[in-house]
Amino acid sequence: MAQQFDVVVIGAGPGGYVAAIRCAQLGLKTACIEKWQDDKGKPVYGGTCLNVGCIPSKALLDSSHRYHDATHGLAVHGISAGEVSMDIPAMMGRKRQIVSQLTGGIAGLLKANGVTALSGSGRLLAGRKVEFTPQGGAPELIEAANVILATGSSPIEIPPARFDGDRIVDSTGALEFSEVPKRLGVVGAGVIGLELGSVWARLGAEVVVIEALPEFLMMVDQQVSKEAYKLFTKQQGLDIRLNARVTGTSVVDGRVNVTYLDGDAEKQESFDRLIVAVGRRPVTKGLLAADSGVNLDERGFVHVNDFCQTDMPGVFAVGDIVRGPMLAHKAMEEGVMVAERISGRKTQLNYDCIPSIIYTHPEIAWVGANEQQLKAAGTPYTAGVFPFVASGRAMAANDTAGMVKILRHEETDRILGCHIIGPSAADLVQQMVIAMEFGATAEDIALIVFGHPSLSEGVHEAALAALGHAIHIPNRKKK
Ligand code: FAD
Ligand code: AMP
């Protein structure tokens, strides 16, 4: 007889494993199917995020930042460190150790919560039946009262720059270089391209980023993206070419020759390696039988409503395979929402309050609406900006590039958005995520006591500036 579960989750990335754990916590008999294996055939949980995404990229960003600081940032403090060198295999070993500790941790958490972890691949059939094919085994049927699809995303490959796994690589390949390329090309100035470009630039590569769009970081508040462009090109050594579309590549004698259109002019570049980071697409191939009852939208994502319900009752989909930003924390919270809704709760996710972060240096982080969106919507607002150059804590840390910007509704005073470029932006923006979830006004933030000296004072001062009475910077004259 087919195995039966209350919930079967397909995929154990942040969307899937979190959904499975929460379902089990709520007393549902839960299985989680994952096909990822290590090179010894051992099941690996955690998906893109833990294996080849958030975690390994941040490990390399941290190592490379320390190296860059040791070579460029110590003299100002009066420290001379002698000759500093970088051991790339050691850096990679540390990264692998972090990944294996965390992925092993997820296996432990699934077990501790009573989730049945199934190693193999899953496919949704009609009537919420799941076909489970164990690694190297024959397909079996599983019956599920509910199914959660969480198969994630994979890198997009473009015809002019096909991956060869050696010289032309995707983000996964870019986390595995065994030496620092002398000259590195990056196609796409999105979040992943900038983060991975930064890693290798800090370690000494000459990095050229080729981006098709004429504007830099279009999804970011324009004041912040302009500042980022200035800082990345001047201070961080990234050569960012906008309005430049890659049209062809060839690998000759171990070098990648790239042709791109700069406006109308055809140009050439030659690199030791090329990272192609032009976005990711949902993984749905082979996942859905024709009669599964689940539909895709026009962009190939699984079609869901605000509660991640697909067109088939009892089948849900979360994370990168559904609309919305491809972010691990968005996937996780969708997983929690779905688990709780299956167990009868009315949990909702506030999609307007999902923070975004780019882990460059300085970091960029934001939540809510940006200035160009408010202008386009005709929303009356005022902006308050506090530059880190006026922050005692940032000065003490010799990390004064950037700003905190808060946008408030001119009539209700509600905080509409917060946009930060600067030290610890990821952690600072979370304060405003919490504030916005509680419907805070700029005055609420103004009346809160912030520890001194701290980078958080920048958030306080930006709120004060939006109200026109910042203390530590001059205020704009009232009209
Ligand atoms: P995934 O993590 O992709 O997991 C899906 C899982 O499903 C995989 O393990 C896959 O093997 C499995 N699977 C697929 N098909 C099947 C099947 N048929 N049967 C069984 N199993 C299957 N996000 C952030 O929030 N912060 C960051 O700093 C960040 N950095 C990133 C850096 C890089 C280089 C990359 C590539 C991504 C980064 N992301 C980051 C994005 C983040 O990794 C994803 O948004 C997140 O992993 C999505 O989670 P998910 O559960 O939807 O899918
Ligand atoms: P993201 O979707 O944030 O990962 O960013 C991917 C970036 O790659 C986008 O800004 C695209 O404009 C860019 N892009 C896509 N195709 C090309 C191409 N052929 N040449 C240069 N940039 C590209």
Side-chain angles (χ1 to χ4, degrees):
M1 212 182 80
Q3 290 195 76
Q4 291 188 337
F5 288 92
D6 296 324
V7 183
V8 172
V9 184
I10 305 181
Y17 80 72
V18 168
I21 289 174
R22 189 70 189 117
C23 283
Q25 284 175 349
L26 291 163
L28 298 161
K29 187 183 174 206
T30 306
C32 185
I33 304 176
E34 172 56 60
K35 66 177 183 188
W36 204 308
Q37 289 182 298
D38 66 12
D39 44 16
K40 294 186 192 77
K42 199 172 137 230
V44 177
Y45 303 97
T48 303
C49 168
L50 263 58
N51 289 286
V52 292
C54 321
I55 299 302
S57 60
K58 265 80 257 176
L60 297 189
L61 278 159
D62 216 74
S63 296
S64 58
H65 179 63
R66 277 160 202 268
Y67 173 75
H68 192 262
D69 218 32
T71 47
H72 295 78
L74 296 184
V76 69
H77 296 280
I79 303 169
S80 61
E83 199 181 319
V84 176
S85 62
M86 188 73 214
D87 180 342
I88 300 294
M91 176 180 82
M92 291 298 178
R94 185 188 89 100
K95 178 205 72 173
R96 273 192 282 274
Q97 167 61 28
I98 294 166
V99 168
S100 82
Q101 205 169 320
L102 288 173
T103 54
I106 302 298
L109 286 174
L110 291 172
K111 195 164 172 216
N113 282 282
V115 175
T116 304
L118 300 172
S119 176
S121 92
R123 173 175 155 84
L124 182 70
L125 308 179
R128 286 192 304 272
K129 288 194 175 46
V130 173
E131 182 185 76
F132 165 58
T133 310
Q135 307 287 2
E140 333 171 340
L141 267 194
I142 301 181
E143 279 175 22
N146 299 275
V147 177
I148 304 175
L149 307 171
T151 51
S153 64
S154 61
I156 291 178
E157 188 170 34
I158 49 171
R162 295 265 178 223
F163 305 130
D164 70 0
D166 176 29
R167 297 284 143 183
I168 306 180
V169 298
D170 60 11
S171 56
T172 303
L175 294 166
E176 289 296 337
F177 291 158
S178 53
E179 57 186 25
V180 181
K182 197 167 167 323
R183 216 171 140 65
L184 172 68
V186 179
V187 189
V191 177
I192 293 176
L194 288 174
E195 289 188 0
L196 295 173
S198 299
V199 166
W200 296 105
R202 291 170 192 174
L203 296 175
E206 237 176 83
V207 177
V208 179
V209 183
I210 304 175
E211 166 58 53
L213 294 174
E215 254 178 71
F216 185 55
L217 290 176
M218 281 193 68
M219 67 292 200
V220 173
D221 182 273
Q222 263 166 19
Q223 192 176 359
V224 170
S225 60
K226 281 202 178 99
E227 182 73 5
Y229 185 78
K230 203 171 75 196
L231 292 168
F232 294 165
T233 48
K234 287 221 177 80
Q235 293 176 9
Q236 306 290 326
L238 294 177
D239 177 351
I240 301 169
R241 307 200 185 155
L242 300 175
N243 207 10
R245 176 173 293 278
V246 170
T247 52
T249 50
S250 63
V251 178
V252 180
D253 295 334
R255 289 192 69 77
V256 190
N257 300 317
V258 176
T259 315
Y260 66 95
L261 280 178
D262 178 357
D264 290 333
E266 191 174 271
K267 298 214 168 141
Q268 301 258 334
E269 269 293 351
S270 177
F271 302 109
D272 298 293
R273 306 239 184 201
L274 184 71
I275 303 172
V276 182
V278 294
R280 298 176 62 82
R281 65 161 51 96
V283 172
T284 53
K285 199 164 165 237
L287 176 67
L288 306 169
D291 55 358
S292 70
V294 171
N295 299 305
L296 303 184
D297 66 19
E298 61 289 351
R299 296 174 58 222
F301 291 87
V302 172
H303 181 251
V304 288
N305 65 11
D306 286 351
F307 308 115
C308 291
Q309 278 167 329
T310 68
D311 298 331
M312 171 72 188
V315 179
F316 302 80
V318 299
D320 284 6
I321 49 159
V322 302
R323 84 283 172 270
M326 286 187 168
L327 293 169
H329 43 282
K330 176 258 193 189
M332 291 192 226
E333 294 314 315
E334 285 182 335
V336 170
M337 171 176 71
V338 165
E340 297 196 349
R341 292 187 81 87
I342 288 173
S343 79
R345 300 183 185 202
K346 297 274 175 249
T347 311
Q348 299 185 17
L349 186 56
N350 182 358
Y351 283 95
D352 293 333
C353 247
I354 297 177
S356 294
I357 304 156
I358 310 179
Y359 289 88
T360 41
H361 190 85
E363 283 177 3
I364 300 173
W366 69 96
V367 61
N370 59 38
E371 217 172 329
Q372 60 267 30
Q373 287 166 338
L374 294 178
K375 275 195 186 121
T379 309
Y381 71 92
T382 46
V385 173
F386 181 78
F388 282 110
V389 76
S391 153
R393 186 76 188 89
M395 236 183 260
N398 194 39
D399 212 355
T400 53
M403 72 190 97
V404 180
K405 174 173 181 175
I406 286 182
L407 301 167
R408 66 177 269 276
H409 196 287
E410 198 157 52
E411 287 147 16
T412 65
D413 194 30
R414 278 275 185 112
I415 294 171
L416 303 171
C418 176
H419 307 271
I420 306 178
I421 175 167
S424 301
D427 295 301
L428 294 182
V429 86
Q430 193 62 36
Q431 303 181 8
M432 284 302 100
V433 178
I434 295 170
M436 286 171 69
E437 276 287 356
F438 282 90
T441 61
E443 193 187 17
D444 290 329
I445 304 302
L447 292 171
I448 289 171
V449 181
F450 284 74
H452 174 79
S454 67
L455 296 171
S456 300
E457 289 174 295
V459 173
H460 193 207
E461 287 282 341
L464 289 166
L467 292 164
H469 52 88
I471 301 292
H472 293 94
I473 44 164
N475 290 287
R476 257 187 284 178
K477 296 258 178 321
K478 291 224 168 69
K479 283 177 241 164

